């Protein structure tokens, strides 16, 4: 199928109370893992390209690969810019055919975050493309529990932010930390619920690799519709790659080593898609299954 926008997809997920897996595709192998499993699971999927990946591989090549991979399957695939940090980066992604953008102004003072998000929204909406913004800060590894708590999203400020900025979905800070290699983080689920009461938009969970599964499930029940996963897939890929290299130290055909690593990443994508309740949501024609199979009120 051609790439789809995240707008209708996240609205459908919100209505049906599941979350779309948003997986970072840092290489061709990771992209294949994500898209192949999405098709096998009949799940919609968001393929994310981040600024570090753009620095590594450029913009046109990853964008082109995602378009081709999407065209080969009959489930909806979104091409999303992950953690775009400027209007310029978002403009480049828009021109390259991304069907979903993110402006992460969470490190900026509140008013500056509103201002840059508004600018990106105006540009993207003129082209019919939705925008994810972030309020509160999802921090990185090495931070203290107090820092994580202090960076959490305030529900009332979130309501004011989405009104002022006009974004289509909101990444929230509720206890997750980017790039954790263990799964020990617990989310402040009451806060997710409070934000969902104030903000009627699809909510996004970043840094999910380190979050306990029970917490992820609870967050989805309260309004998280997009869950970002990167580290957990990389770990699965690299564990197998390291083992293969140790087992075959003289191998020069890297494809022989990458193939089993890609299989390991696939199984992790599958685990997450099932956890998020996204399996089986797409019918044999590539459309949303209707009516949604899960209908639970978050309130
Ligand atoms: O934006 C990407 C994510 O938030 C991924 O976080 O590497 O902790 O899974 P993670
Ligand atoms: Zn993130």
């Amino acid at each position: 199928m051609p790439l789809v926008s995240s707008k209708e997809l996240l609205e459908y997920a919100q209505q049906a109370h599941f979350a779309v897996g948003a997986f970072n595709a840092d290489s061709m192998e990771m992209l294949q893992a994500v898209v192949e499993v999405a098709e096998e699971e009949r799940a919609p999927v968001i393929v994310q390209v981040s600024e570090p990946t753009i620095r590594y591989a450029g913009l046109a090549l990853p964008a082109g690969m995602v378009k081709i991979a999407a065209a080969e399957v009959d489930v909806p695939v979104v091409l999303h810019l992950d953690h775009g940090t400027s209007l310029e980066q978002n403009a480049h992604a828009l021109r390259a055919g991304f069907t979903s953008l993110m402006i992460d102004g969470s490190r900026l003072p509140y008013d500056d975050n509103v201002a840059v998000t508004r600018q990106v929204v105006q540009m993207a909406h003129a082209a019919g493309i939705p925008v994810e913004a972030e309020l509160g800060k999802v921090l990185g590894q090495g931070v203290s529990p107090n820092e994580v708590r202090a960076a959490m999203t305030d529900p009332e400020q979130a309501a004011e932010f989405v009104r002022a900025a006009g974004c289509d979905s909101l990444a929230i800070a509720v206890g997750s930390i980017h790039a954790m290699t263990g799964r020990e983080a617990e989310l402040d689920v009451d806060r997710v619920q409070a934000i969902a009461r104030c903000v009627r938009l699809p909510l996004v969970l970043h840094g999910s690799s380190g979050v306990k599964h029970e917490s992820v499930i609870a967050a989805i029940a309260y309004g998280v519709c997009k869950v970002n996963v990167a580290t957990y897939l990389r770990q699965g890929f690299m564990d197998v790659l390291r083992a293969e290299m140790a087992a075959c130290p003289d191998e020069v055909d890297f494809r022989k080593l990458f193939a089993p690593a890609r299989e390991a990443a696939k199984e992790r994508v599958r685990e997450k898609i099932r956890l998020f309740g996204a399996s089986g949501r797409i019918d044999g024609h590539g459309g949303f299954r209707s009516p949604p199979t899960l209908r639970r009120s978050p309130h």
Side-chain angles (χ1 to χ4, degrees), residues 93-295:
L94 194 59
R95 275 198 292 278
F98 280 59
T99 54
S100 184
L101 298 177
M102 178 182 186
I103 175 69
D104 177 0
S106 62
R107 301 298 194 273
L108 301 172
Y110 175 84
D111 287 340
D112 295 350
N113 189 1
V114 170
V116 72
T117 302
R118 272 176 72 97
Q119 286 180 314
V120 173
V121 165
Q122 275 167 10
M123 173 187 70
H125 284 187
I129 298 298
V131 178
E132 174 184 329
E134 178 166 330
L135 186 71
K137 290 188 219 45
V138 180
L139 301 170
Q141 266 195 317
V143 290
S144 70
N146 283 346
E147 287 170 304
V148 172
R149 184 145 288 282
M152 285 188 185
T153 308
D154 175 75
E156 280 167 22
Q157 193 182 43
E160 179 191 308
F161 178 84
V162 299
R163 265 196 305 274
C167 55
D168 301 276
S169 58
L170 185 68
I172 55 174
V174 288
S176 60
I177 298 169
H178 278 119
M180 282 177 71
T181 49
R183 196 188 296 148
E184 304 102 29
E186 271 181 60
L187 300 180
D188 181 345
V189 177
D190 292 341
R191 187 177 295 264
V192 177
Q193 187 172 18
I195 297 168
R197 284 199 175 114
C198 298
V199 175
R200 297 294 170 163
L201 298 178
L203 302 177
V204 180
L205 177 66
H206 280 246
S208 81
S209 292
V211 180
K212 291 183 179 173
H213 280 178
E214 313 85 79
S215 255
V216 173
I217 291 167
I220 293 170
Y222 287 128
V224 165
C225 307
K226 171 176 180 273
V227 180
N228 288 14
V229 190
T231 302
Y232 187 60
L233 308 188
R234 291 183 191 135
Q235 268 181 312
F237 187 93
M238 286 305 299
D239 286 351
V240 170
L241 184 58
R242 268 190 286 269
E244 291 292 321
M245 288 173 72
C248 314
D250 298 324
E251 182 59 69
V252 295
D253 183 349
F254 53 81
R255 294 168 299 187
K256 291 191 178 144
L257 309 176
F258 282 3
R262 180 173 58 195
E263 284 307 307
K266 276 186 77 167
E267 289 323 302
R268 291 191 170 203
V269 171
R270 193 183 315 284
E271 176 193 338
K272 294 297 182 182
I273 281 179
R274 291 182 179 176
L275 178 73
F276 303 159
S279 275
R281 298 289 178 173
I282 302 302
D283 67 23
H285 307 287
F288 299 143
R289 271 196 208 291
S290 179
T293 50
L294 274 177
R295 274 196 179 279

